Short mmCIF file of all heavy atoms in Angstrom, two decimals:
data_model
loop_
_atom_site.label_atom_id
_atom_site.label_comp_id
_atom_site.label_asym_id
_atom_site.label_seq_id
_atom_site.Cartn_x
_atom_site.Cartn_y
_atom_site.Cartn_z
N PRO A 9 34.97 -20.35 -74.84
CA PRO A 9 35.90 -19.65 -75.66
C PRO A 9 36.62 -20.58 -76.55
O PRO A 9 36.97 -20.26 -77.74
CB PRO A 9 36.83 -18.93 -74.65
CG PRO A 9 36.03 -18.93 -73.41
CD PRO A 9 35.20 -20.07 -73.45
N SER A 36 47.59 -24.19 -68.44
CA SER A 36 46.71 -23.96 -67.36
C SER A 36 45.25 -24.27 -67.82
O SER A 36 44.47 -24.89 -67.08
CB SER A 36 46.62 -22.44 -66.96
OG SER A 36 46.39 -21.67 -68.20
N ASN A 103 34.29 -50.38 -65.60
CA ASN A 103 34.86 -51.18 -66.70
C ASN A 103 34.11 -51.11 -68.03
O ASN A 103 34.51 -51.58 -69.03
CB ASN A 103 34.90 -52.69 -66.27
CG ASN A 103 33.52 -53.19 -65.93
OD1 ASN A 103 32.62 -52.41 -65.81
ND2 ASN A 103 33.40 -54.52 -65.72
N VAL A 108 37.22 -47.87 -75.31
CA VAL A 108 36.15 -47.41 -76.10
C VAL A 108 36.73 -46.89 -77.50
O VAL A 108 37.89 -46.45 -77.58
CB VAL A 108 35.35 -46.23 -75.51
CG1 VAL A 108 34.69 -46.73 -74.29
CG2 VAL A 108 36.38 -45.08 -75.15
N ASN A 143 18.98 -37.08 -111.12
CA ASN A 143 19.86 -37.86 -110.29
C ASN A 143 20.79 -36.99 -109.62
O ASN A 143 21.86 -36.68 -110.09
CB ASN A 143 20.60 -38.97 -111.13
CG ASN A 143 21.36 -39.99 -110.30
OD1 ASN A 143 21.30 -39.98 -109.05
ND2 ASN A 143 22.09 -40.89 -110.97
N THR A 161 14.10 -24.74 -105.64
CA THR A 161 14.67 -24.78 -104.33
C THR A 161 13.48 -25.10 -103.36
O THR A 161 12.35 -24.55 -103.47
CB THR A 161 15.25 -23.37 -103.90
OG1 THR A 161 16.27 -23.10 -104.82
CG2 THR A 161 15.71 -23.49 -102.48
N ALA A 165 14.47 -28.23 -93.99
CA ALA A 165 14.93 -28.25 -92.55
C ALA A 165 13.69 -28.45 -91.65
O ALA A 165 12.59 -27.88 -91.85
CB ALA A 165 15.55 -26.96 -92.15
N VAL A 167 12.08 -31.32 -91.38
CA VAL A 167 11.22 -32.41 -91.91
C VAL A 167 11.89 -33.72 -91.29
O VAL A 167 13.03 -33.90 -91.46
CB VAL A 167 11.17 -32.37 -93.48
CG1 VAL A 167 10.43 -33.63 -93.97
CG2 VAL A 167 10.69 -31.13 -93.96
N TYR A 169 12.82 -37.64 -91.42
CA TYR A 169 13.29 -38.41 -92.50
C TYR A 169 12.20 -39.39 -93.06
O TYR A 169 12.12 -39.60 -94.26
CB TYR A 169 14.58 -39.29 -92.08
CG TYR A 169 15.01 -40.24 -93.13
CD1 TYR A 169 15.51 -39.84 -94.36
CD2 TYR A 169 14.96 -41.64 -92.91
CE1 TYR A 169 15.90 -40.78 -95.31
CE2 TYR A 169 15.33 -42.55 -93.83
CZ TYR A 169 15.84 -42.11 -95.06
OH TYR A 169 16.27 -43.01 -95.94
N LEU A 176 8.90 -34.34 -100.60
CA LEU A 176 9.35 -33.95 -101.85
C LEU A 176 8.48 -34.37 -103.06
O LEU A 176 8.40 -33.68 -104.06
CB LEU A 176 10.77 -34.52 -102.05
CG LEU A 176 11.89 -33.96 -101.15
CD1 LEU A 176 13.25 -34.76 -101.37
CD2 LEU A 176 12.03 -32.57 -101.36
N VAL A 259 22.56 -52.60 -65.34
CA VAL A 259 22.01 -53.62 -64.60
C VAL A 259 20.76 -54.25 -65.33
O VAL A 259 20.46 -55.42 -65.33
CB VAL A 259 21.48 -53.04 -63.22
CG1 VAL A 259 20.78 -54.14 -62.42
CG2 VAL A 259 22.67 -52.60 -62.42
N VAL A 277 28.22 -34.13 -65.94
CA VAL A 277 28.35 -35.25 -64.96
C VAL A 277 28.72 -34.69 -63.67
O VAL A 277 29.79 -34.17 -63.38
CB VAL A 277 29.44 -36.30 -65.33
CG1 VAL A 277 29.55 -37.38 -64.39
CG2 VAL A 277 29.12 -36.85 -66.78
N ASP A 330 27.59 -40.22 -37.81
CA ASP A 330 27.88 -38.72 -37.59
C ASP A 330 29.33 -38.41 -37.81
O ASP A 330 29.81 -37.44 -37.21
CB ASP A 330 27.45 -38.29 -36.16
CG ASP A 330 25.94 -38.50 -36.03
OD1 ASP A 330 25.26 -38.36 -36.93
OD2 ASP A 330 25.63 -38.77 -34.92
N PRO A 363 30.67 -74.56 -44.12
CA PRO A 363 30.94 -75.85 -44.83
C PRO A 363 30.45 -77.04 -43.93
O PRO A 363 30.61 -78.22 -44.45
CB PRO A 363 32.38 -75.85 -45.01
CG PRO A 363 32.98 -75.03 -44.01
CD PRO A 363 31.94 -73.89 -43.70
N VAL A 375 37.42 -98.26 -49.12
CA VAL A 375 36.01 -98.70 -49.23
C VAL A 375 35.60 -98.43 -50.67
O VAL A 375 36.35 -97.78 -51.46
CB VAL A 375 35.11 -97.74 -48.33
CG1 VAL A 375 35.40 -98.09 -46.90
CG2 VAL A 375 35.35 -96.35 -48.60
N GLY A 379 32.79 -91.20 -48.80
CA GLY A 379 32.04 -89.95 -48.91
C GLY A 379 31.19 -89.83 -47.67
O GLY A 379 31.39 -90.43 -46.61
N ILE A 525 59.20 -124.64 -49.36
CA ILE A 525 59.74 -125.57 -50.27
C ILE A 525 59.43 -127.07 -49.85
O ILE A 525 59.06 -127.90 -50.67
CB ILE A 525 61.34 -125.48 -50.49
CG1 ILE A 525 61.58 -124.00 -50.98
CG2 ILE A 525 61.93 -126.46 -51.32
CD1 ILE A 525 61.07 -123.85 -52.38
N THR A 528 55.86 -127.81 -50.68
CA THR A 528 55.54 -127.93 -52.12
C THR A 528 56.31 -129.07 -52.84
O THR A 528 56.31 -129.13 -54.08
CB THR A 528 55.84 -126.56 -52.83
OG1 THR A 528 57.22 -126.18 -52.58
CG2 THR A 528 54.88 -125.50 -52.26
N GLU A 541 68.40 -117.96 -57.18
CA GLU A 541 68.28 -116.47 -57.05
C GLU A 541 66.99 -116.24 -56.19
O GLU A 541 65.91 -116.49 -56.68
CB GLU A 541 68.09 -115.82 -58.49
CG GLU A 541 69.39 -115.90 -59.27
CD GLU A 541 69.14 -115.28 -60.73
OE1 GLU A 541 68.11 -114.53 -60.79
OE2 GLU A 541 69.95 -115.51 -61.55
N ASP A 578 98.35 -76.94 -70.84
CA ASP A 578 98.82 -77.70 -72.00
C ASP A 578 97.67 -78.17 -72.79
O ASP A 578 96.78 -78.82 -72.27
CB ASP A 578 99.71 -78.84 -71.54
CG ASP A 578 100.37 -79.56 -72.70
OD1 ASP A 578 101.45 -79.11 -73.14
OD2 ASP A 578 99.80 -80.56 -73.16
N LEU A 707 92.16 -118.70 -57.17
CA LEU A 707 90.77 -118.96 -56.66
C LEU A 707 90.02 -119.94 -57.61
O LEU A 707 89.97 -119.66 -58.80
CB LEU A 707 90.00 -117.59 -56.56
CG LEU A 707 88.56 -117.76 -56.08
CD1 LEU A 707 88.50 -118.23 -54.63
CD2 LEU A 707 87.84 -116.43 -56.26
N ALA A 745 75.44 -110.82 -63.30
CA ALA A 745 76.37 -110.74 -64.42
C ALA A 745 75.76 -110.23 -65.74
O ALA A 745 76.29 -109.47 -66.43
CB ALA A 745 77.13 -112.00 -64.63
#
Side-chain angles (χ1 to χ4, degrees):
S36 59
N103 60 349
V108 295
N143 188 3
T161 300
V167 178
Y169 174 64
L176 292 179
V259 178
V277 178
D330 298 328
V375 295
I525 296 297
T528 57
E541 296 182 13
D578 186 84
L707 179 67

